[in-house]
Every structure is written in C-alpha cells, then in structure tokens.
Amino acid sequence: MASSPVHLAYRPTFAASQAVIHTDFLIIGSGIAGLSLALNLAERGRVTLVTKKALEDSNTNYAQGGVASVLGEDDSFDLHVQDTLAAGAGLCRREIVEMVVRDGPARIRDLESLGVAFTTQGGQLALGLEGGHSRHRIVHNADHTGREIETHLLDAVLDHERIDVHPYHMAIDLIGPRHVERANVRGVWGAYALDAATGEVRAFVAKRTVLATGGAGKVYRYTTNPDIATGDGVAMAHRAGARIANLEFVQFHPTCLYHPRAKSFLLTEALRGEGGRLIDAAGARFMDAYDARGELAPRDIVARAIDSEMKKTAAPCVYLDVTQLPSGMIERRFPSILERCLDFGIDPRREPIPVVPATHYFCGGIDVDARGRSSIENLFAIGEVSHTGLHGANRLASNSLLEALVFAERAYDGVLENVDTVTLPAVQPWEAPRGHVAPDPMVLEHDWDEARRVMWDYVGIVRSDQRLTIATERLSSLAATVESVYRKSRVNQDLLELRNIIEVGRLVVRSALLRKESRGLHYTETYPDRDDAHFLRDTVLERGGE
Ligand code: FAD
Ligand code: SIN
C-alpha cells in the first residue's frame, strides 16, 4: 500500500535517551481509533501517542469498503440497528448498537471537516451495499477508504502541538500497581515500550492509558490483516487482569485473493454488493444453495459456504466473478483492486478472480462500557481491540470503522472524568528479562509458523471439541517454550509479538471451548445448534477468574 511521504519523512523530536516520559494521556496505536481520540483529548492536555511501526501502519490504512452510516433517503436508524442486531445473533448490547448507529452521521461529518473526501454521485455521497445491510449505506472513497481517512487524521495529529508521537515504539506491558513506588494504588499508569531504534525500553507514565492497538489477524496463518495485527492490546490487558470478552467470535472474510505471491490482499465485499458472483472451478454459482441472500448473506455464512465447497471438491480456492459488471465500473469504483490483480496477471474485467476465506476481524476484545472504560481503573480501550457489545456474535460489514469513530468521541468523557485530581506516581524502570542474548531468529520464525498453523488448522471456520483440545495442548507447550526464551533473552519485537499471538490464541481456544453451541461466527461440529437457554450471554475471561 502506498504511503504518504509526509509521514515517512517524520522524525521524532524527543530526546532519544529519555527513559521515563510523563504525560496526561497515553494512547497506544495510530489507527482510526487512536488518532481520532488523540485529536479530541489534545484540547484538554498533553497527549503522547506511541505506535509500534510507521505511523500509518494499521488495519485502518487497508480498509476498502467504507464506513456504514444512515445517510440515504430510504434508510433509517431503526433499519441499521435491526441489521446490526440480526448479524450479532442475540449477543449485541442493544443500547450500544443504538448509540453507535445514531452517532454515525455526525462522525462522518467530522471526517469531512478534516478534509476526508468520500465518493459522490450526482452531488450526494455515493452509498455502497454490503452483506447483511438492507439498504445502501456504505460511505467510501473508491476502494481505498481507509487510506483516505488515515492520511487526513495523521496530518491533523502531526500538526497538533499538544500531541507527541513516538513511532517504532512497541508497548510491551502496562504499568500496574507493582511497578509504582506508592502504597495503595490501583489501576494502570501507562506502559513500557521498546524503542526499535535503540533497543531500550522506556516507561511512558500517564494519568490515563488508552489501548487502540487494533486486531489480531496475525494469530492465524491466513489473514487479510497487515503485520501489526498481533493482538498485543488484548494480551497486555489480560496480563494486567482486565476482563476480556467473546474472543471466540473471529470473523473470516470470504474473499481474500488466492495467489502464491499475494500476501493478505482483500477483495472488498462491495464487489459482491455491485453484483459480483461466487463460482466454482466449473463456473457454477453455489451461494443460493446455502442462503436465500446468495452472495450478500452475512460473512459467516458466505465464508462457511466457501469452506464447504472447497472441502467437497478438494479445490484450493473458489472464484469471484465480476466480469459482468457494467463497463468502466471496475476502473472507477475499484482502482486499487484492479491494479493489484493486474500485478498478479489477473484481469478481473475478463476472468474470475481466485479467492479463499481468511481471518479478518476479532469481534471480541477488552470488555468496555459505553465510554470505553475497561474493568481496570485508568485503562481504556477503543477500536478493534475492544469489546463494546456492538457486534455481538458477528460483525456487520463496515460497522468497525464506525465503532472506532463513535468510541473515540464517547471515550473522551470517560478519559477526562476526575482526571484533574490524579497525580502521577514514581514508576520503576522496566524489569528486564535476565538474558542479554537475542533469541535465535530461525527458531522464532518456526514458532511463529507453528502457532499460526495450529490456529488455522484447529481453531478455524469449522471447529470441534476434539480440534480445540488438540490446539490447547499444542499452544500450551509452545507458550512454555516461548516464555522460557522470553525470560532468558534480550527482547525484540518478533519475540514480544510471538508471545502475544500465543497468548491471544490460547484465549480464543479457551473461549471457544466454553461456548458449547454454534452461534454467529463460532461454529462447532460438536454442538451444531444455537442454545439460547444456556449461551445467550458473553464469554468472559478474567485472569484468575475464568
Ligand atoms: P488499527 O487501525 O489496526 O490500528 C492499530 C494501531 O496500533 C496500529 O498503529 C499498530 O501499529 C498499533 N499497535 C498495535 N500493537 C501495538 C503495540 N504493542 N505498541 C504500539 N502500537 C501498537 N472495517 C470497516 O468498517 N470498513 C471496511 O471497509 C474495512 N475494510 C477492511 C479491510 C481490511 C484489509 C482489513 C484488514 C480490515 C478492514 N476493516 C474494515 C476493519 C477495520 O479496518 C479495522 O477494524 C479498524 O481499522 C481498526 O482500527 P483501530 O484503530 O482499532 O486499529
Ligand atoms: C470489505 O470491504 O469487504 C471489508 C469491509 C469490512 O471489513 O467491514
């Protein structure tokens, strides 16, 4: 994905040797959620934003389809609420769904006021259609909506004098009571972060800490997510004792490009919204046999249908056929996809595109309330890392950028609550693991591969208790090995991320084993039916409490 040169040229202005940095608000992550909240909070204090790679490295930057919001004349808040609740299969928090849907149009206007351009038609916003939506309501910028949003938010953040940004700083762990030199304190007081340039670990000490670290697609072997999506926020919050909810609900996107050289390239659902059809190798459509809504059924249904077709025919992929779309539409509406497919020698205007499902989105995460407050004092979570109750057991397409925008606004009040009464404690330096030798990169790579394969093979689209039990054993053994390497080595980003993907993988497996039914994105052959009598509730994990 092309990056804006202005961000690549950015150089941090703080002194490189500063081991402890004090701030009012620490935000971890520079996607749509972290950047939006940083802009809001900068009106009220000093904001420090750390992010583990380049500033624009985020899932946000890759979002294609757009942002769902009620803007069409034939649409209504009620319809968007109903569609979201239907996809969520009984587990959405209704008051959160209503809040997010109703706030949507104002948040779209905020983006426009920052200069974000959305595609228009006849002077009005052009509204796309995606699976599970009963109306056209996806606001977009061709097929690179995320990049348009990320670029404008970053420009505004970099222009703001009260926001300090620290790229290439990976948060390792949250600062808790045991790191603080003051008696009887509770909660979180910032985070320790590894500076990739120097290998030093800095303490970022803050009155309020916000995790905006995004998703965890990299926990699985095949994913639409970029490399940053290693579930660090959930792993850190869990280690700190925060409540984590509904991690069994992992969304697989039905259409990821299938090509040996293509790493994680999504083919937006909007292609099906415009009339794209799924076919098998013989050219036959199959979706109607699975759901009356055909290609526009919710994603879990489409992904399972493709999985089943591939298993039935032992085919490595199915195909997305957009050759019948009106002439010029692919060039105009999907320019990035056209360019990328042509790079791989596939011309979507003339031939079907090979596709497979891939891990795309985590509906669960750090459990928060309507203001982004986690179960731990001073700790907040917004965006994909959080579980707000909007998505329930399955996320409706294009509802996540919307959720991030709404919670970045709503969390503002939560973060500011009583903040003036808080004084920062003295914090101990990071308790480094004992070793000084870097971990062997080849062994790390193999462990990465093994963890992600176990998740793909045993915790994928179709699960069973037997498979989940195998995954439990394999991941426990890997976790023990990696923890011992962690204790003995000089840490680096690869090792820290590996530790986190294994931790999140284990939490997904534990959650999946607890849900003895099939619902939304969680489908298990051991319990193929939905069981409202016992499982119309969230799966909550708490350290020591689960
Ligand atoms: P992200 O945008 O992922 O940002 C997370 C940030 O945290 C990154 O900057 C990352 O580097 C940083 N970070 C992570 N760990 C650490 C750490 N330990 N220390 C420091 N920094 C850290 N949703 C929609 O609604 N509409 C769409 O059209 C759409 N299309 C998508 C297409 C693709 C290919 C993908 C992958 C996702 C898509 N989604 C879409 C989902 C949506 O993009 C994400 O849910 C959303 O962008 C998440 O935003 P976020 O700010 O929470 O996280
Ligand atoms: C897509 O464009 O298909 C992705 C939309 C989403 O994940 O919400």
Side-chain angles (χ1 to χ4, degrees):
M1 179 79 47
S3 308
S4 161
V6 66
H7 308 131
L8 288 178
Y10 172 77
R11 291 283 177 275
T13 49
F14 60 93
S17 60
Q18 224 175 322
V20 181
I21 290 159
H22 295 98
T23 187
D24 294 320
F25 312 115
L26 174 65
I27 297 181
I28 305 175
S30 56
I32 187 171
L35 295 174
S36 304
L37 183 59
L39 287 172
N40 291 337
L41 287 174
E43 305 305 317
R44 296 291 298 273
R46 168 97 7 225
V47 177
T48 299
L49 187 142
V50 304
T51 192
K52 71 177 173 183
K53 287 211 172 162
L55 293 169
E56 66 277 18
D57 272 328
S58 60
N59 275 9
T60 301
N61 211 29
Y62 292 83
Q64 293 183 357
V67 191
S69 189
V70 175
L71 295 156
E73 278 174 13
D74 63 344
D75 204 355
S76 70
F77 291 140
D78 275 353
L79 284 172
H80 192 180
V81 167
Q82 287 312 323
D83 293 345
T84 303
L85 294 175
L91 291 191
C92 299
R93 293 178 188 159
R94 193 185 174 105
E95 69 286 5
I96 296 291
V97 176
E98 286 182 353
M99 177 186 96
V100 171
V101 164
R102 284 176 185 278
D103 282 5
R107 300 292 75 81
I108 299 291
R109 281 193 290 278
D110 290 347
L111 287 178
E112 288 181 313
S113 69
L114 283 176
V116 173
F118 292 113
T119 302
T120 55
Q121 206 170 18
Q124 305 286 331
L125 286 174
L127 301 174
L129 181 66
E130 289 180 347
H133 288 277
S134 58
R135 292 290 185 277
H136 282 73
R137 61 168 76 100
I138 318 298
V139 184
H140 56 272
N141 178 303
D143 61 353
H144 36 243
T145 312
R147 196 173 68 202
E148 173 73 10
I149 295 174
E150 179 78 14
T151 304
H152 282 86
L153 286 172
L154 266 179
D155 285 346
V157 161
L158 290 173
D159 270 356
H160 206 297
E161 59 181 17
R162 282 217 289 235
I163 307 177
D164 300 321
V165 294
H166 299 251
Y168 297 101
H169 276 68
M170 176 178 176
I172 302 174
D173 265 316
L174 297 167
I175 296 173
R178 72 190 174 88
H179 307 112
V180 165
E181 291 168 0
R182 192 197 279 169
N184 300 324
V185 291
R186 287 188 312 221
V188 163
W189 296 93
Y192 296 107
L194 175 70
D195 176 352
T198 64
E200 283 170 43
V201 176
R202 301 210 155 86
F204 289 85
V205 185
K207 295 177 179 171
R208 301 280 194 254
T209 301
V210 183
L211 288 166
T213 47
K218 294 288 286 188
V219 167
Y220 282 85
R221 175 114 180 78
Y222 301 107
T223 177
T224 63
N225 291 191
D227 288 347
I228 51 95
T230 51
D232 302 350
V234 167
M236 286 189 279
H238 183 254
R239 287 194 286 269
R243 197 164 57 225
I244 308 293
N246 287 1
L247 276 192
E248 68 273 36
F249 297 116
V250 177
Q251 184 168 72
F252 294 82
H253 197 291
T255 55
C256 187
L257 179 62
Y258 176 72
H259 189 280
R261 281 188 293 115
K263 193 184 164 205
S264 315
F265 190 68
L266 180 83
L267 295 164
T268 176
E269 192 150 320
L271 286 160
R272 280 174 282 133
E274 296 292 355
R277 292 188 291 213
L278 287 165
I279 56 173
D280 62 19
R285 279 182 82 186
F286 55 83
M287 267 320 298
D288 288 344
Y290 292 89
D291 193 284
R293 289 162 290 186
E295 278 80 358
L296 287 178
R299 277 182 195 171
D300 56 320
I301 294 170
V302 182
R304 266 201 303 281
I306 295 176
D307 185 65
S308 152
E309 287 296 307
M310 284 167 56
K311 282 180 177 148
K312 248 194 318 206
T313 57
C317 63
V318 296
Y319 297 85
L320 178 61
D321 185 6
V322 290
T323 53
Q324 72 287 2
L325 264 51
S327 158
M329 176 183 268
I330 298 191
E331 291 86 339
R332 201 174 56 251
R333 174 82 170 85
F334 305 106
S336 309
I337 289 175
L338 176 61
E339 191 187 323
R340 196 60 180 268
C341 286
L342 289 175
D343 284 348
F344 292 118
I346 302 161
D347 186 343
R349 295 164 299 189
R350 293 184 178 79
E351 60 195 312
I353 313 168
V355 293
V356 283
T359 310
H360 183 61
Y361 185 86
F362 273 63
C363 290
I366 303 163
D367 199 37
V368 296
D369 69 8
R371 291 176 172 193
R373 283 181 289 220
S374 78
S375 60
I376 302 187
E377 229 168 273
N378 301 336
L379 180 67
F380 297 75
I382 53 170
E384 188 168 341
V385 71
S386 65
H387 168 261
T388 63
L390 174 69
H391 309 305
N394 189 8
R395 176 182 68 104
L396 197 60
S398 291
N399 261 1
S400 48
L401 293 174
L402 174 68
E403 179 191 46
L405 287 169
V406 168
F407 272 81
E409 180 72 21
R410 292 279 175 168
Y412 173 85
D413 290 335
V415 171
L416 290 178
E417 206 174 18
N418 299 327
V419 75
D420 295 337
T421 62
V422 178
T423 54
L424 289 178
V427 161
Q428 293 161 5
W430 191 57
E431 203 183 293
R434 278 153 279 287
H436 294 285
V437 180
D440 181 336
M442 191 193 69
V443 174
L444 278 192
E445 193 186 318
H446 290 178
D447 288 347
W448 262 88
D449 196 46
E450 185 176 345
R452 298 177 68 211
R453 272 181 199 279
V454 168
M455 290 302 290
W456 187 258
D457 291 343
Y458 297 102
V459 200
I461 298 175
V462 176
R463 302 166 178 173
S464 71
D465 269 7
Q466 192 191 16
R467 282 165 180 264
L468 293 173
T469 306
I470 294 171
T472 306
E473 287 159 10
R474 302 269 295 269
L475 292 176
S476 307
S477 147
L478 256 182
T481 311
V482 169
E483 197 57 30
S484 130
V485 175
Y486 172 75
R487 291 282 154 215
K488 291 182 196 140
S489 310
R490 179 152 50 85
V491 295
N492 62 24
Q493 187 164 332
D494 260 358
L495 175 61
L496 294 169
E497 289 181 340
L498 173 63
R499 184 172 173 242
N500 289 338
I501 63 166
I502 293 172
E503 176 139 8
V504 173
R506 294 176 81 197
L507 294 174
V508 173
V509 176
R510 281 218 320 256
S511 308
L513 276 167
L514 286 170
R515 185 168 290 284
K516 298 189 185 308
E517 63 156 357
S518 291
R519 179 189 298 271
L521 298 166
H522 172 68
Y523 181 80
T524 163
E525 289 170 342
T526 314
Y527 309 100
D529 300 320
R530 177 166 153 169
D531 176 0
D532 278 354
H534 299 98
F535 291 102
L536 196 57
R537 56 178 163 79
D538 294 333
T539 306
V540 176
L541 300 179
E542 245 162 330
R543 215 172 170 167
E546 61 262 36

